[in-house]
Amino acid sequence: MKLSRRSLSLVIVACALAAPLIAPGAAHAIDRQITVTGDATISVAPDTAMIRLGVTSQSKTAREASDANAKQMTTVLAAIKDAGIAGRDVQTSRLSLQPQYDQSKPGAARLLGFQVTNQVTVRIREIDKLPSILDHAIAAGANEMSGIEFIVSEQSKLLDQARDDAVADARRKAELYAKAAGVKLGNVVSIIEEGSAPPPRPVMQAMRAGAVPVAPGEQMLRAGVTVSFELTP
């Protein structure tokens, strides 16, 4: 297939129009940037606690173990309510019925009885009441406890403050580098927030009668950002 001079000229013009237009100096814009990271942390005392406690009962038959557990657990729940915990803050988290066997002798295992475990998760919104509530539950017959979690309820608002501080930290670093290089800091090009794992929560595994020692401590909330700035002469 042959193209006339007129057709060939039209093809050349079309290709020229399709080519991307690059502003003068745009190719070097990315070279006139600085990227830094900013970090900020906030230490805060937890104001809410989550406890998991309950009752484990054993008996020769499943019915006897269930009845004994239900009776004792009802007393525990009443004690928790009397301590000022609303019903919406108590939730069943574990309920199990398991046969118990004698594994000490060879041959077929002999059935010894049954074990029932009923456990609830309790949210305590006034953390100062935690020791008293634990004492009430233990005195009422709670003999099962898997842990305590301490929580900062207003974590989002506190993290927003940390984010502001992290961006300010990034700008401070960028200004130091720009000054050392003999240039000025321009506009922000991009901000990327770093993902971070939730802060560890102290867990108390043991429970004993009498006054229960509790140490909520503090939690460290962290915000991290990566910020790119333009550099100007």
Side-chain angles (χ1 to χ4, degrees), residues 28-77:
H28 303 287
I30 193 170
D31 297 331
R32 297 198 300 269
Q33 292 183 9
I34 181 173
T35 300
V36 295
T37 59
D39 294 279
T41 57
I42 296 178
S43 297
V44 58
D47 57 1
T48 302
M50 299 282 286
I51 62 175
R52 293 181 294 276
L53 53 83
V55 174
T56 294
S57 306
Q58 294 181 345
S59 190
K60 292 183 178 180
T61 67
R63 179 62 179 271
E64 290 176 352
S66 297
D67 289 346
N69 186 275
K71 182 178 180 180
Q72 192 169 349
M73 193 63 188
T74 298
T75 304
V76 171
L77 291 175

Side-chain angles (χ1 to χ4, degrees), residues 181-197:
V183 294
K184 296 181 180 179
L185 206 62
N187 296 326
V188 173
V189 177
S190 67
I191 300 177
I192 301 175
E193 184 175 28
E194 299 177 7
S196 59

Side-chain angles (χ1 to χ4, degrees), residues 74-109:
T74 298
T75 304
V76 171
L77 291 175
I80 293 174
K81 182 178 179 180
D82 290 342
I85 300 300
R88 64 189 176 95
D89 290 329
V90 181
Q91 183 180 49
T92 299
S93 55
R94 182 187 177 192
L95 182 60
S96 66
L97 171 63
Q98 297 178 334
Q100 303 296 301
Y101 294 97
D102 182 2
Q103 305 284 356
S104 62
K105 298 180 180 179

Side-chain angles (χ1 to χ4, degrees), residues 91-171:
Q91 183 180 49
T92 299
S93 55
R94 182 187 177 192
L95 182 60
S96 66
L97 171 63
Q98 297 178 334
Q100 303 296 301
Y101 294 97
D102 182 2
Q103 305 284 356
S104 62
K105 298 180 180 179
R110 183 171 64 90
L111 179 65
L112 296 177
F114 293 85
Q115 176 177 289
V116 175
T117 297
N118 190 345
Q119 192 175 73
V120 294
T121 298
V122 182
R123 179 184 294 271
I124 302 174
R125 301 180 187 272
E126 297 180 58
I127 202 168
D128 292 341
K129 294 183 178 181
L130 175 57
S132 174
I133 292 170
L134 291 178
D135 285 345
H136 276 75
I138 294 170
N143 57 14
E144 177 78 16
M145 182 172 179
S146 60
I148 298 179
E149 296 180 0
F150 297 105
I151 302 170
V152 177
S153 60
E154 298 293 335
Q155 190 171 122
S156 295
K157 293 182 180 179
L158 294 169
L159 279 174
D160 285 345
Q161 179 183 336
R163 291 183 179 104
D164 285 342
D165 295 342
V167 173
D169 182 54
R171 179 175 289 278

